[in-house]
Amino acid sequence: MDRVYSGKCLTKNAFTTGVPTMTQEDFITDLFSRVDDRMLDVPKHPQAALWPSELVTLGLLFAIKGVSERAFYRWISQNHLALFPRLPERTRFFRRLKTHWKLTLRFLAKPSLLGLVDSYGIELIHPVRRGRSAQQFGGAGISNHRWIAGAKWCVVVNHLGEITGWVWAPANAHDTWFRPLLDVFDDRTVLFSDTGFHSAQGDPANLKICHRGERNDRMLIETVLSMLTVVCHTKKMRHRLAEYFQTHLGLIAAAFNVLIGWVGLPPNEDGFVPLSIAEFSL
């Protein structure tokens, strides 16, 4: 039977998901413990209100919640302030996240021999409103066969679906712009991609272009991006400054890796490792 608390239960059926039933407070406490284990060597600034592990835990919750900064701060301060009694003021909190965004790189997975790469369009503003403000950093491009005004997120995953690297560019960037990210995995990982990453000037030795109907196991990265769309609402963001957008992407990648490995990525009877983060939706 599910335990009852003031927050909604995260997992409805522990027997089908493999994740123990927990309340929101149980989940936040467990998440903090997992984050703190990876950040034992990060010191706390004498003038800081939050420990680095507390800051990153709040950032991961922001990524999982998938709402605006104001909505997230209202939710965490009204429902779980007892867990973070020294929570800073909203703008100060998000400035600290922006300053320490590189802490999210600690949660990237290790690359494997075989990997997948794909790009993902993110809308930042309605195309009609593009160019009205000098602060807008996104570009106009095509995603899912329609025009968007925003950015592209290039993601590399290993054979288990864990995110091992990422980079972003304006939406008008071609997939070949992400070649520097692919060079990082040279001599370590063979990356499978669609034809968008092909260049007439030649492709890297570790990049294998897959045409339509080839290498159906590439659907793994499509599954990863689909889960991020449904749970973290990454298809649409409302950031106006590139630094905060970059921070949000790092938090999403870190949160995804933590959540899919919550129970250790056990394979099923066929040897397939199923991925799911729906049970952690806040």
Side-chain angles (χ1 to χ4, degrees):
M1 179 179 294
D2 294 347
R3 289 178 290 175
V4 178
Y5 199 76
S6 57
K8 73 176 183 180
C9 189
L10 290 173
T11 303
K12 300 301 182 183
N13 191 339
F15 297 99
T16 59
T17 62
V19 179
T21 302
M22 62 183 79
T23 64
Q24 283 189 352
E25 289 208 356
D26 293 335
F27 169 66
I28 295 173
T29 303
D30 198 346
L31 179 64
F32 169 76
S33 177
R34 294 167 186 263
V35 170
D36 191 55
D37 288 342
R38 300 197 187 192
M39 301 181 60
L40 296 176
D41 59 329
V42 182
K44 178 180 179 292
H45 192 279
Q47 297 179 338
L50 298 174
W51 282 84
S53 51
E54 290 181 293
L55 180 67
V56 173
T57 300
L58 286 166
L60 299 190
L61 290 173
F62 169 58
I64 299 169
K65 189 69 175 174
V67 294
S68 66
E69 296 177 355
R70 291 179 181 272
F72 170 76
Y73 191 86
R74 184 167 56 248
W75 171 77
I76 196 69
S77 59
Q78 292 179 357
N79 296 280
H80 303 294
L81 190 59
L83 297 177
F84 305 97
R86 302 191 65 186
L87 181 68
E89 185 268 336
R90 176 179 59 84
T91 56
R92 181 183 294 273
F93 165 69
F94 283 101
R95 285 198 303 269
R96 285 206 61 197
L97 275 181
K98 178 196 67 172
T99 302
H100 301 284
W101 77 272
K102 288 188 177 181
L103 292 175
T104 62
L105 301 180
R106 291 171 167 258
F107 297 86
L108 293 178
K110 295 181 179 179
S112 57
L113 179 61
L114 299 178
L116 306 168
V117 59
D118 205 352
S119 61
Y120 179 83
I122 299 176
E123 297 181 60
L124 294 172
I125 198 170
H126 194 282
V128 174
R129 301 184 62 188
R130 179 174 174 266
R132 294 186 181 182
S133 172
Q135 290 184 332
Q136 296 176 10
F137 60 91
I142 296 179
S143 176
N144 293 337
H145 308 287
R146 67 186 183 91
W147 284 96
I148 66 169
K152 271 187 177 181
W153 190 28
C154 181
V155 180
V156 176
V157 303
N158 59 21
H159 69 290
L160 296 175
E162 300 171 302
I163 297 177
T164 61
W166 60 269
V167 70
W168 71 275
N172 59 336
H174 192 266
D175 287 344
T176 55
W177 288 25
F178 301 119
R179 287 293 181 83
L181 175 63
L182 308 186
D183 294 339
V184 174
F185 297 90
D186 191 19
D187 298 330
R188 292 193 297 172
T189 303
V190 177
L191 296 173
F192 295 92
S193 73
D194 56 24
T195 55
F197 287 82
H198 172 67
S199 174
Q201 286 72 35
D203 299 322
N206 67 326
L207 180 63
K208 303 301 179 184
I209 304 297
C210 302
H211 297 274
R212 184 180 296 273
E214 297 180 352
R215 303 291 306 189
N216 290 330
D217 48 355
R218 282 197 68 255
M219 288 301 297
L220 175 62
I221 193 169
E222 300 292 345
T223 301
V224 170
L225 298 178
S226 176
M227 287 190 288
L228 294 178
T229 300
V230 174
V231 177
C232 301
H233 308 287
T234 51
K235 205 62 182 175
K236 293 185 178 181
M237 298 185 188
R238 291 296 178 262
H239 296 287
R240 294 295 177 264
L241 296 178
E243 294 84 354
Y244 290 94
F245 176 69
Q246 179 173 260
T247 300
H248 199 167
L249 294 180
L251 292 170
I252 291 172
F256 179 79
N257 284 345
V258 172
L259 296 184
I260 63 170
W262 198 268
V263 294
L265 293 174
N268 57 21
E269 297 179 354
D270 299 329
F272 177 73
V273 179
L275 301 180
S276 176
I277 61 173
E279 57 268 25
F280 298 103
S281 179
L282 296 173

